[in-house]
Amino acid sequence: MRERLRKWIQDFQEWIIFALIFVLSIVVIRFFEDKPPFKSIVELLMSSKFISTLQDLSILAAVILYFRETPSRKKQEHYEAWRVINSAYGQRASGGRIQALQDLNNDGISLAGLTAEKAYLAGINLKGADLRDANLEGSNLKNACLQEIDLRNANLQQADLRYANLEGANLRNANLQGQSTNLSYTNFQNAYLSHANFQLAYLWSANLQGADLSYANLQEADLSYANLQGANLKYANFQGADLSPTNLDQANFQGADLQNADLRDAQNLNPEQVKLARNWEHARYDEALQMQLGLIPTHQNFELIQPENSDQDHNFFDT
């Protein structure tokens, strides 16, 4: 506030100086207008050619002044945008918050540490935004454009990210835990999700193609019909997760924990992939894959046991 006041006083002083110079010039001209050689000078100043030139110079000065004040106007716009965002804290309705956030991001202003719990931000465009450590718990981000966004350490618990585009986003250590965290049809293609917490999250039909989920926590997460083609799943926790029928073509399960994971009807999954994981023997598979993994015999030998013939005939009808 003090800085803004100082800037205002400085600008005001400049305008006072310009005004004094202008007034002083008028006084001098009026005083000497009838006295030679000032009379000829005044006549020159009053000529149409000079006035036209003066108008051109005035326009040029106005343009220069406009561009000179551009940074100051931008700062004022940013102050106003933050005022709108802060005044909307705790409110579900937008209240101009979406436009304010977009304007700040378009001007390259960091949004790190933003708090917008339970905010309505559906359809917002924050491509490439810096939202590190942001608190967006319970926010509605449905259909949002969040490509290449930085959401490291962000809190997205219970957020609605259905159909949102997070392609190439960075969500390292982000918290997306909880059954109410809706990530169905969300695009995480090539996103960096290492160490993120997806425990119990709903990732039905999510696109995780080429995503880095190394060391991520997906315990009991619902990944039904998700696309994990080429995903890095090293040391991820899939305990009790639902991966059926998920596309796992070329997914890397090295060191991943598959304890009680449901891999029945998983697509493009081969035994070599599975055996790179830990606790793979305790996951659930369809019968064909169980046989390939050697969890059930490929054939069973049945012995037909014949009862021994008794030397004594039992005739119950002997009379």
Side-chain angles (χ1 to χ4, degrees), residues 53-88:
T53 303
L54 188 61
Q55 288 176 341
D56 293 339
L57 290 173
S58 299
I59 294 170
L60 179 61
V63 171
I64 293 171
L65 189 61
Y66 175 83
F67 283 107
R68 181 180 178 276
E69 293 182 345
T70 296
S72 179
R73 284 197 306 275
K74 276 293 181 185
K75 284 184 179 179
Q76 187 60 39
E77 290 172 4
H78 295 162
Y79 288 135
E80 181 62 23
W82 280 117
R83 188 191 67 78
V84 170
I85 293 165
N86 293 331
S87 63

PDB file of all heavy atoms in Angstrom, residues 53-88:
ATOM      1  N   THR A  53       1.681  21.235 -36.718  1.00  0.00           N
ATOM      2  CA  THR A  53       2.878  20.545 -36.203  1.00  0.00           C
ATOM      3  C   THR A  53       2.748  20.275 -34.712  1.00  0.00           C
ATOM      4  O   THR A  53       3.115  19.197 -34.216  1.00  0.00           O
ATOM      5  CB  THR A  53       4.133  21.403 -36.468  1.00  0.00           C
ATOM      6  OG1 THR A  53       4.231  21.677 -37.859  1.00  0.00           O
ATOM      7  CG2 THR A  53       5.387  20.688 -35.995  1.00  0.00           C
ATOM      8  N   LEU A  54       2.193  21.275 -34.006  1.00  0.00           N
ATOM      9  CA  LEU A  54       2.006  21.121 -32.562  1.00  0.00           C
ATOM     10  C   LEU A  54       1.032  19.987 -32.245  1.00  0.00           C
ATOM     11  O   LEU A  54       1.229  19.224 -31.291  1.00  0.00           O
ATOM     12  CB  LEU A  54       1.493  22.439 -31.978  1.00  0.00           C
ATOM     13  CG  LEU A  54       1.428  22.524 -30.445  1.00  0.00           C
ATOM     14  CD1 LEU A  54       2.817  22.355 -29.849  1.00  0.00           C
ATOM     15  CD2 LEU A  54       0.811  23.843 -30.009  1.00  0.00           C
ATOM     16  N   GLN A  55      -0.004  19.851 -33.065  1.00  0.00           N
ATOM     17  CA  GLN A  55      -0.962  18.762 -32.867  1.00  0.00           C
ATOM     18  C   GLN A  55      -0.296  17.401 -33.048  1.00  0.00           C
ATOM     19  O   GLN A  55      -0.533  16.468 -32.279  1.00  0.00           O
ATOM     20  CB  GLN A  55      -2.128  18.915 -33.846  1.00  0.00           C
ATOM     21  CG  GLN A  55      -3.070  20.065 -33.514  1.00  0.00           C
ATOM     22  CD  GLN A  55      -4.142  20.246 -34.563  1.00  0.00           C
ATOM     23  OE1 GLN A  55      -4.007  19.769 -35.694  1.00  0.00           O
ATOM     24  NE2 GLN A  55      -5.207  20.958 -34.203  1.00  0.00           N
ATOM     25  N   ASP A  56       0.540  17.319 -34.087  1.00  0.00           N
ATOM     26  CA  ASP A  56       1.260  16.060 -34.325  1.00  0.00           C
ATOM     27  C   ASP A  56       2.174  15.716 -33.150  1.00  0.00           C
ATOM     28  O   ASP A  56       2.260  14.559 -32.721  1.00  0.00           O
ATOM     29  CB  ASP A  56       2.084  16.153 -35.606  1.00  0.00           C
ATOM     30  CG  ASP A  56       1.208  16.261 -36.851  1.00  0.00           C
ATOM     31  OD1 ASP A  56       0.023  15.875 -36.761  1.00  0.00           O
ATOM     32  OD2 ASP A  56       1.707  16.733 -37.886  1.00  0.00           O
ATOM     33  N   LEU A  57       2.846  16.761 -32.638  1.00  0.00           N
ATOM     34  CA  LEU A  57       3.730  16.538 -31.495  1.00  0.00           C
ATOM     35  C   LEU A  57       2.940  16.137 -30.251  1.00  0.00           C
ATOM     36  O   LEU A  57       3.401  15.322 -29.442  1.00  0.00           O
ATOM     37  CB  LEU A  57       4.548  17.799 -31.213  1.00  0.00           C
ATOM     38  CG  LEU A  57       5.626  18.152 -32.247  1.00  0.00           C
ATOM     39  CD1 LEU A  57       6.237  19.511 -31.931  1.00  0.00           C
ATOM     40  CD2 LEU A  57       6.711  17.073 -32.277  1.00  0.00           C
ATOM     41  N   SER A  58       1.747  16.695 -30.104  1.00  0.00           N
ATOM     42  CA  SER A  58       0.895  16.358 -28.956  1.00  0.00           C
ATOM     43  C   SER A  58       0.472  14.895 -29.005  1.00  0.00           C
ATOM     44  O   SER A  58       0.470  14.195 -27.988  1.00  0.00           O
ATOM     45  CB  SER A  58      -0.342  17.260 -28.940  1.00  0.00           C
ATOM     46  OG  SER A  58       0.031  18.612 -28.820  1.00  0.00           O
ATOM     47  N   ILE A  59       0.119  14.459 -30.216  1.00  0.00           N
ATOM     48  CA  ILE A  59      -0.271  13.047 -30.385  1.00  0.00           C
ATOM     49  C   ILE A  59       0.899  12.133 -30.061  1.00  0.00           C
ATOM     50  O   ILE A  59       0.759  11.122 -29.366  1.00  0.00           O
ATOM     51  CB  ILE A  59      -0.782  12.797 -31.820  1.00  0.00           C
ATOM     52  CG1 ILE A  59      -2.091  13.564 -32.052  1.00  0.00           C
ATOM     53  CG2 ILE A  59      -0.975  11.304 -32.071  1.00  0.00           C
ATOM     54  CD1 ILE A  59      -2.547  13.568 -33.495  1.00  0.00           C
ATOM     55  N   LEU A  60       2.089  12.523 -30.570  1.00  0.00           N
ATOM     56  CA  LEU A  60       3.285  11.724 -30.302  1.00  0.00           C
ATOM     57  C   LEU A  60       3.585  11.674 -28.808  1.00  0.00           C
ATOM     58  O   LEU A  60       3.915  10.612 -28.258  1.00  0.00           O
ATOM     59  CB  LEU A  60       4.479  12.312 -31.059  1.00  0.00           C
ATOM     60  CG  LEU A  60       5.826  11.600 -30.865  1.00  0.00           C
ATOM     61  CD1 LEU A  60       5.735  10.154 -31.347  1.00  0.00           C
ATOM     62  CD2 LEU A  60       6.939  12.343 -31.599  1.00  0.00           C
ATOM     63  N   ALA A  61       3.441  12.819 -28.141  1.00  0.00           N
ATOM     64  CA  ALA A  61       3.685  12.864 -26.697  1.00  0.00           C
ATOM     65  C   ALA A  61       2.696  11.988 -25.941  1.00  0.00           C
ATOM     66  O   ALA A  61       3.058  11.303 -24.976  1.00  0.00           O
ATOM     67  CB  ALA A  61       3.595  14.307 -26.212  1.00  0.00           C
ATOM     68  N   ALA A  62       1.436  12.000 -26.395  1.00  0.00           N
ATOM     69  CA  ALA A  62       0.407  11.177 -25.749  1.00  0.00           C
ATOM     70  C   ALA A  62       0.716   9.690 -25.901  1.00  0.00           C
ATOM     71  O   ALA A  62       0.545   8.899 -24.960  1.00  0.00           O
ATOM     72  CB  ALA A  62      -0.960  11.499 -26.337  1.00  0.00           C
ATOM     73  N   VAL A  63       1.187   9.313 -27.108  1.00  0.00           N
ATOM     74  CA  VAL A  63       1.542   7.904 -27.352  1.00  0.00           C
ATOM     75  C   VAL A  63       2.710   7.490 -26.465  1.00  0.00           C
ATOM     76  O   VAL A  63       2.702   6.411 -25.853  1.00  0.00           O
ATOM     77  CB  VAL A  63       1.884   7.687 -28.844  1.00  0.00           C
ATOM     78  CG1 VAL A  63       2.474   6.297 -29.062  1.00  0.00           C
ATOM     79  CG2 VAL A  63       0.649   7.879 -29.711  1.00  0.00           C
ATOM     80  N   ILE A  64       3.723   8.366 -26.400  1.00  0.00           N
ATOM     81  CA  ILE A  64       4.892   8.067 -25.560  1.00  0.00           C
ATOM     82  C   ILE A  64       4.473   7.930 -24.102  1.00  0.00           C
ATOM     83  O   ILE A  64       4.904   7.013 -23.394  1.00  0.00           O
ATOM     84  CB  ILE A  64       5.961   9.170 -25.716  1.00  0.00           C
ATOM     85  CG1 ILE A  64       6.546   9.133 -27.133  1.00  0.00           C
ATOM     86  CG2 ILE A  64       7.065   9.001 -24.678  1.00  0.00           C
ATOM     87  CD1 ILE A  64       7.451  10.304 -27.453  1.00  0.00           C
ATOM     88  N   LEU A  65       3.617   8.847 -23.661  1.00  0.00           N
ATOM     89  CA  LEU A  65       3.149   8.808 -22.277  1.00  0.00           C
ATOM     90  C   LEU A  65       2.339   7.551 -21.997  1.00  0.00           C
ATOM     91  O   LEU A  65       2.451   6.947 -20.924  1.00  0.00           O
ATOM     92  CB  LEU A  65       2.303  10.054 -21.989  1.00  0.00           C
ATOM     93  CG  LEU A  65       1.917  10.292 -20.526  1.00  0.00           C
ATOM     94  CD1 LEU A  65       3.163  10.475 -19.675  1.00  0.00           C
ATOM     95  CD2 LEU A  65       0.993  11.493 -20.403  1.00  0.00           C
ATOM     96  N   TYR A  66       1.549   7.112 -23.001  1.00  0.00           N
ATOM     97  CA  TYR A  66       0.728   5.902 -22.843  1.00  0.00           C
ATOM     98  C   TYR A  66       1.615   4.678 -22.614  1.00  0.00           C
ATOM     99  O   TYR A  66       1.396   3.892 -21.690  1.00  0.00           O
ATOM    100  CB  TYR A  66      -0.144   5.699 -24.083  1.00  0.00           C
ATOM    101  CG  TYR A  66      -0.929   4.412 -24.071  1.00  0.00           C
ATOM    102  CD1 TYR A  66      -2.139   4.315 -23.391  1.00  0.00           C
ATOM    103  CD2 TYR A  66      -0.452   3.279 -24.738  1.00  0.00           C
ATOM    104  CE1 TYR A  66      -2.855   3.129 -23.367  1.00  0.00           C
ATOM    105  CE2 TYR A  66      -1.165   2.088 -24.720  1.00  0.00           C
ATOM    106  CZ  TYR A  66      -2.359   2.022 -24.038  1.00  0.00           C
ATOM    107  OH  TYR A  66      -3.056   0.851 -24.011  1.00  0.00           O
ATOM    108  N   PHE A  67       2.632   4.535 -23.468  1.00  0.00           N
ATOM    109  CA  PHE A  67       3.514   3.376 -23.329  1.00  0.00           C
ATOM    110  C   PHE A  67       4.378   3.487 -22.074  1.00  0.00           C
ATOM    111  O   PHE A  67       4.733   2.473 -21.470  1.00  0.00           O
ATOM    112  CB  PHE A  67       4.396   3.226 -24.568  1.00  0.00           C
ATOM    113  CG  PHE A  67       3.669   2.647 -25.748  1.00  0.00           C
ATOM    114  CD1 PHE A  67       3.316   3.446 -26.829  1.00  0.00           C
ATOM    115  CD2 PHE A  67       3.316   1.313 -25.772  1.00  0.00           C
ATOM    116  CE1 PHE A  67       2.637   2.908 -27.916  1.00  0.00           C
ATOM    117  CE2 PHE A  67       2.637   0.765 -26.853  1.00  0.00           C
ATOM    118  CZ  PHE A  67       2.294   1.564 -27.927  1.00  0.00           C
ATOM    119  N   ARG A  68       4.694   4.708 -21.694  1.00  0.00           N
ATOM    120  CA  ARG A  68       5.485   4.891 -20.479  1.00  0.00           C
ATOM    121  C   ARG A  68       4.720   4.424 -19.246  1.00  0.00           C
ATOM    122  O   ARG A  68       5.297   3.910 -18.287  1.00  0.00           O
ATOM    123  CB  ARG A  68       5.863   6.367 -20.338  1.00  0.00           C
ATOM    124  CG  ARG A  68       6.721   6.674 -19.122  1.00  0.00           C
ATOM    125  CD  ARG A  68       7.057   8.152 -19.064  1.00  0.00           C
ATOM    126  NE  ARG A  68       7.829   8.469 -17.882  1.00  0.00           N
ATOM    127  CZ  ARG A  68       7.311   8.705 -16.686  1.00  0.00           C
ATOM    128  NH1 ARG A  68       5.995   8.645 -16.526  1.00  0.00           N
ATOM    129  NH2 ARG A  68       8.088   8.986 -15.652  1.00  0.00           N
ATOM    130  N   GLU A  69       3.424   4.594 -19.274  1.00  0.00           N
ATOM    131  CA  GLU A  69       2.602   4.233 -18.120  1.00  0.00           C
ATOM    132  C   GLU A  69       2.066   2.803 -18.188  1.00  0.00           C
ATOM    133  O   GLU A  69       1.347   2.372 -17.289  1.00  0.00           O
ATOM    134  CB  GLU A  69       1.428   5.210 -17.999  1.00  0.00           C
ATOM    135  CG  GLU A  69       1.855   6.626 -17.639  1.00  0.00           C
ATOM    136  CD  GLU A  69       0.666   7.551 -17.477  1.00  0.00           C
ATOM    137  OE1 GLU A  69      -0.439   7.166 -17.927  1.00  0.00           O
ATOM    138  OE2 GLU A  69       0.835   8.633 -16.907  1.00  0.00           O
ATOM    139  N   THR A  70       2.405   2.063 -19.256  1.00  0.00           N
ATOM    140  CA  THR A  70       1.906   0.689 -19.403  1.00  0.00           C
ATOM    141  C   THR A  70       2.266  -0.199 -18.216  1.00  0.00           C
ATOM    142  O   THR A  70       1.395  -0.903 -17.684  1.00  0.00           O
ATOM    143  CB  THR A  70       2.429   0.068 -20.712  1.00  0.00           C
ATOM    144  OG1 THR A  70       1.901   0.806 -21.815  1.00  0.00           O
ATOM    145  CG2 THR A  70       2.001  -1.389 -20.836  1.00  0.00           C
ATOM    146  N   PRO A  71       3.533  -0.211 -17.752  1.00  0.00           N
ATOM    147  CA  PRO A  71       3.853  -1.050 -16.586  1.00  0.00           C
ATOM    148  C   PRO A  71       3.016  -0.699 -15.361  1.00  0.00           C
ATOM    149  O   PRO A  71       2.585  -1.586 -14.618  1.00  0.00           O
ATOM    150  CB  PRO A  71       5.345  -0.762 -16.346  1.00  0.00           C
ATOM    151  CG  PRO A  71       5.862  -0.299 -17.658  1.00  0.00           C
ATOM    152  CD  PRO A  71       4.730   0.465 -18.274  1.00  0.00           C
ATOM    153  N   SER A  72       2.786   0.587 -15.164  1.00  0.00           N
ATOM    154  CA  SER A  72       1.994   1.012 -14.009  1.00  0.00           C
ATOM    155  C   SER A  72       0.554   0.522 -14.126  1.00  0.00           C
ATOM    156  O   SER A  72      -0.045   0.068 -13.141  1.00  0.00           O
ATOM    157  CB  SER A  72       2.026   2.536 -13.900  1.00  0.00           C
ATOM    158  OG  SER A  72       1.246   2.970 -12.810  1.00  0.00           O
ATOM    159  N   ARG A  73       0.015   0.599 -15.344  1.00  0.00           N
ATOM    160  CA  ARG A  73      -1.358   0.115 -15.553  1.00  0.00           C
ATOM    161  C   ARG A  73      -1.440  -1.388 -15.354  1.00  0.00           C
ATOM    162  O   ARG A  73      -2.410  -1.901 -14.795  1.00  0.00           O
ATOM    163  CB  ARG A  73      -1.840   0.490 -16.961  1.00  0.00           C
ATOM    164  CG  ARG A  73      -2.214   1.952 -17.123  1.00  0.00           C
ATOM    165  CD  ARG A  73      -3.049   2.152 -18.376  1.00  0.00           C
ATOM    166  NE  ARG A  73      -2.386   1.612 -19.554  1.00  0.00           N
ATOM    167  CZ  ARG A  73      -1.481   2.276 -20.271  1.00  0.00           C
ATOM    168  NH1 ARG A  73      -1.127   3.496 -19.919  1.00  0.00           N
ATOM    169  NH2 ARG A  73      -0.931   1.726 -21.329  1.00  0.00           N
ATOM    170  N   LYS A  74      -0.412  -2.115 -15.832  1.00  0.00           N
ATOM    171  CA  LYS A  74      -0.393  -3.568 -15.663  1.00  0.00           C
ATOM    172  C   LYS A  74      -0.384  -3.942 -14.187  1.00  0.00           C
ATOM    173  O   LYS A  74      -1.086  -4.848 -13.746  1.00  0.00           O
ATOM    174  CB  LYS A  74       0.833  -4.170 -16.363  1.00  0.00           C
ATOM    175  CG  LYS A  74       0.641  -4.428 -17.840  1.00  0.00           C
ATOM    176  CD  LYS A  74      -0.381  -5.524 -18.073  1.00  0.00           C
ATOM    177  CE  LYS A  74      -0.575  -5.810 -19.551  1.00  0.00           C
ATOM    178  NZ  LYS A  74      -1.668  -6.787 -19.766  1.00  0.00           N
ATOM    179  N   LYS A  75       0.436  -3.222 -13.421  1.00  0.00           N
ATOM    180  CA  LYS A  75       0.482  -3.492 -11.984  1.00  0.00           C
ATOM    181  C   LYS A  75      -0.880  -3.268 -11.346  1.00  0.00           C
ATOM    182  O   LYS A  75      -1.324  -4.048 -10.503  1.00  0.00           O
ATOM    183  CB  LYS A  75       1.528  -2.596 -11.322  1.00  0.00           C
ATOM    184  CG  LYS A  75       2.967  -3.034 -11.542  1.00  0.00           C
ATOM    185  CD  LYS A  75       3.923  -2.148 -10.763  1.00  0.00           C
ATOM    186  CE  LYS A  75       5.366  -2.593 -10.964  1.00  0.00           C
ATOM    187  NZ  LYS A  75       6.312  -1.721 -10.220  1.00  0.00           N
ATOM    188  N   GLN A  76      -1.530  -2.194 -11.761  1.00  0.00           N
ATOM    189  CA  GLN A  76      -2.846  -1.898 -11.219  1.00  0.00           C
ATOM    190  C   GLN A  76      -3.845  -2.995 -11.574  1.00  0.00           C
ATOM    191  O   GLN A  76      -4.678  -3.397 -10.749  1.00  0.00           O
ATOM    192  CB  GLN A  76      -3.334  -0.544 -11.752  1.00  0.00           C
ATOM    193  CG  GLN A  76      -4.624  -0.049 -11.120  1.00  0.00           C
ATOM    194  CD  GLN A  76      -4.505   0.146  -9.622  1.00  0.00           C
ATOM    195  OE1 GLN A  76      -3.475   0.604  -9.140  1.00  0.00           O
ATOM    196  NE2 GLN A  76      -5.549  -0.225  -8.894  1.00  0.00           N
ATOM    197  N   GLU A  77      -3.750  -3.505 -12.810  1.00  0.00           N
ATOM    198  CA  GLU A  77      -4.627  -4.593 -13.239  1.00  0.00           C
ATOM    199  C   GLU A  77      -4.372  -5.849 -12.410  1.00  0.00           C
ATOM    200  O   GLU A  77      -5.305  -6.566 -12.042  1.00  0.00           O
ATOM    201  CB  GLU A  77      -4.411  -4.882 -14.725  1.00  0.00           C
ATOM    202  CG  GLU A  77      -4.930  -3.793 -15.650  1.00  0.00           C
ATOM    203  CD  GLU A  77      -4.534  -4.022 -17.100  1.00  0.00           C
ATOM    204  OE1 GLU A  77      -3.916  -5.082 -17.385  1.00  0.00           O
ATOM    205  OE2 GLU A  77      -4.823  -3.155 -17.942  1.00  0.00           O
ATOM    206  N   HIS A  78      -3.097  -6.117 -12.115  1.00  0.00           N
ATOM    207  CA  HIS A  78      -2.751  -7.294 -11.320  1.00  0.00           C
ATOM    208  C   HIS A  78      -3.263  -7.157  -9.885  1.00  0.00           C
ATOM    209  O   HIS A  78      -3.778  -8.117  -9.302  1.00  0.00           O
ATOM    210  CB  HIS A  78      -1.235  -7.508 -11.324  1.00  0.00           C
ATOM    211  CG  HIS A  78      -0.689  -7.827 -12.680  1.00  0.00           C
ATOM    212  ND1 HIS A  78       0.649  -7.702 -13.001  1.00  0.00           N
ATOM    213  CD2 HIS A  78      -1.311  -8.257 -13.810  1.00  0.00           C
ATOM    214  CE1 HIS A  78       0.826  -8.045 -14.261  1.00  0.00           C
ATOM    215  NE2 HIS A  78      -0.340  -8.385 -14.774  1.00  0.00           N
ATOM    216  N   TYR A  79      -3.118  -5.943  -9.319  1.00  0.00           N
ATOM    217  CA  TYR A  79      -3.658  -5.705  -7.976  1.00  0.00           C
ATOM    218  C   TYR A  79      -5.161  -5.958  -7.952  1.00  0.00           C
ATOM    219  O   TYR A  79      -5.690  -6.573  -7.024  1.00  0.00           O
ATOM    220  CB  TYR A  79      -3.376  -4.264  -7.533  1.00  0.00           C
ATOM    221  CG  TYR A  79      -1.941  -3.975  -7.190  1.00  0.00           C
ATOM    222  CD1 TYR A  79      -1.324  -2.810  -7.650  1.00  0.00           C
ATOM    223  CD2 TYR A  79      -1.193  -4.846  -6.401  1.00  0.00           C
ATOM    224  CE1 TYR A  79       0.001  -2.527  -7.342  1.00  0.00           C
ATOM    225  CE2 TYR A  79       0.131  -4.569  -6.094  1.00  0.00           C
ATOM    226  CZ  TYR A  79       0.725  -3.417  -6.565  1.00  0.00           C
ATOM    227  OH  TYR A  79       2.031  -3.145  -6.262  1.00  0.00           O
ATOM    228  N   GLU A  80      -5.843  -5.504  -8.987  1.00  0.00           N
ATOM    229  CA  GLU A  80      -7.295  -5.661  -9.063  1.00  0.00           C
ATOM    230  C   GLU A  80      -7.675  -7.134  -9.224  1.00  0.00           C
ATOM    231  O   GLU A  80      -8.642  -7.611  -8.611  1.00  0.00           O
ATOM    232  CB  GLU A  80      -7.845  -4.847 -10.236  1.00  0.00           C
ATOM    233  CG  GLU A  80      -9.352  -4.900 -10.405  1.00  0.00           C
ATOM    234  CD  GLU A  80     -10.109  -4.347  -9.217  1.00  0.00           C
ATOM    235  OE1 GLU A  80      -9.537  -3.536  -8.457  1.00  0.00           O
ATOM    236  OE2 GLU A  80     -11.282  -4.742  -9.040  1.00  0.00           O
ATOM    237  N   ALA A  81      -6.897  -7.861 -10.045  1.00  0.00           N
ATOM    238  CA  ALA A  81      -7.165  -9.289 -10.245  1.00  0.00           C
ATOM    239  C   ALA A  81      -7.015 -10.061  -8.933  1.00  0.00           C
ATOM    240  O   ALA A  81      -7.855 -10.896  -8.588  1.00  0.00           O
ATOM    241  CB  ALA A  81      -6.226  -9.861 -11.308  1.00  0.00           C
ATOM    242  N   TRP A  82      -5.949  -9.772  -8.189  1.00  0.00           N
ATOM    243  CA  TRP A  82      -5.751 -10.442  -6.902  1.00  0.00           C
ATOM    244  C   TRP A  82      -6.846 -10.061  -5.910  1.00  0.00           C
ATOM    245  O   TRP A  82      -7.259 -10.881  -5.084  1.00  0.00           O
ATOM    246  CB  TRP A  82      -4.379 -10.101  -6.325  1.00  0.00           C
ATOM    247  CG  TRP A  82      -3.261 -10.902  -6.920  1.00  0.00           C
ATOM    248  CD1 TRP A  82      -2.206 -10.449  -7.647  1.00  0.00           C
ATOM    249  CD2 TRP A  82      -3.097 -12.324  -6.842  1.00  0.00           C
ATOM    250  NE1 TRP A  82      -1.395 -11.484  -8.031  1.00  0.00           N
ATOM    251  CE2 TRP A  82      -1.910 -12.654  -7.547  1.00  0.00           C
ATOM    252  CE3 TRP A  82      -3.835 -13.350  -6.255  1.00  0.00           C
ATOM    253  CZ2 TRP A  82      -1.450 -13.954  -7.676  1.00  0.00           C
ATOM    254  CZ3 TRP A  82      -3.373 -14.657  -6.380  1.00  0.00           C
ATOM    255  CH2 TRP A  82      -2.200 -14.949  -7.080  1.00  0.00           C
ATOM    256  N   ARG A  83      -7.316  -8.826  -5.996  1.00  0.00           N
ATOM    257  CA  ARG A  83      -8.406  -8.406  -5.109  1.00  0.00           C
ATOM    258  C   ARG A  83      -9.663  -9.232  -5.379  1.00  0.00           C
ATOM    259  O   ARG A  83     -10.346  -9.678  -4.448  1.00  0.00           O
ATOM    260  CB  ARG A  83      -8.707  -6.919  -5.305  1.00  0.00           C
ATOM    261  CG  ARG A  83      -9.692  -6.358  -4.287  1.00  0.00           C
ATOM    262  CD  ARG A  83     -10.158  -4.974  -4.678  1.00  0.00           C
ATOM    263  NE  ARG A  83     -10.961  -5.013  -5.891  1.00  0.00           N
ATOM    264  CZ  ARG A  83     -12.241  -5.399  -5.929  1.00  0.00           C
ATOM    265  NH1 ARG A  83     -12.855  -5.790  -4.825  1.00  0.00           N
ATOM    266  NH2 ARG A  83     -12.900  -5.400  -7.071  1.00  0.00           N
ATOM    267  N   VAL A  84      -9.959  -9.459  -6.668  1.00  0.00           N
ATOM    268  CA  VAL A  84     -11.122 -10.268  -7.047  1.00  0.00           C
ATOM    269  C   VAL A  84     -10.964 -11.703  -6.546  1.00  0.00           C
ATOM    270  O   VAL A  84     -11.898 -12.297  -5.994  1.00  0.00           O
ATOM    271  CB  VAL A  84     -11.309 -10.257  -8.584  1.00  0.00           C
ATOM    272  CG1 VAL A  84     -12.358 -11.277  -9.010  1.00  0.00           C
ATOM    273  CG2 VAL A  84     -11.701  -8.866  -9.058  1.00  0.00           C
ATOM    274  N   ILE A  85      -9.757 -12.256  -6.719  1.00  0.00           N
ATOM    275  CA  ILE A  85      -9.495 -13.639  -6.305  1.00  0.00           C
ATOM    276  C   ILE A  85      -9.616 -13.783  -4.790  1.00  0.00           C
ATOM    277  O   ILE A  85     -10.259 -14.710  -4.285  1.00  0.00           O
ATOM    278  CB  ILE A  85      -8.092 -14.080  -6.781  1.00  0.00           C
ATOM    279  CG1 ILE A  85      -8.053 -14.156  -8.308  1.00  0.00           C
ATOM    280  CG2 ILE A  85      -7.707 -15.426  -6.170  1.00  0.00           C
ATOM    281  CD1 ILE A  85      -6.663 -14.226  -8.888  1.00  0.00           C
ATOM    282  N   ASN A  86      -9.014 -12.859  -4.066  1.00  0.00           N
ATOM    283  CA  ASN A  86      -9.039 -12.936  -2.600  1.00  0.00           C
ATOM    284  C   ASN A  86     -10.436 -12.698  -2.034  1.00  0.00           C
ATOM    285  O   ASN A  86     -10.820 -13.307  -1.036  1.00  0.00           O
ATOM    286  CB  ASN A  86      -8.056 -11.926  -2.008  1.00  0.00           C
ATOM    287  CG  ASN A  86      -6.608 -12.277  -2.314  1.00  0.00           C
ATOM    288  OD1 ASN A  86      -6.266 -13.443  -2.478  1.00  0.00           O
ATOM    289  ND2 ASN A  86      -5.753 -11.272  -2.411  1.00  0.00           N
ATOM    290  N   SER A  87     -11.190 -11.828  -2.686  1.00  0.00           N
ATOM    291  CA  SER A  87     -12.545 -11.557  -2.196  1.00  0.00           C
ATOM    292  C   SER A  87     -13.481 -12.733  -2.446  1.00  0.00           C
ATOM    293  O   SER A  87     -14.515 -12.863  -1.783  1.00  0.00           O
ATOM    294  CB  SER A  87     -13.112 -10.300  -2.861  1.00  0.00           C
ATOM    295  OG  SER A  87     -13.242 -10.491  -4.265  1.00  0.00           O
ATOM    296  N   ALA A  88     -13.108 -13.607  -3.405  1.00  0.00           N
ATOM    297  CA  ALA A  88     -13.937 -14.780  -3.711  1.00  0.00           C
ATOM    298  C   ALA A  88     -13.579 -15.985  -2.849  1.00  0.00           C
ATOM    299  O   ALA A  88     -14.153 -17.063  -3.016  1.00  0.00           O
ATOM    300  CB  ALA A  88     -13.791 -15.144  -5.188  1.00  0.00           C
TER     301      ALA A  88
END
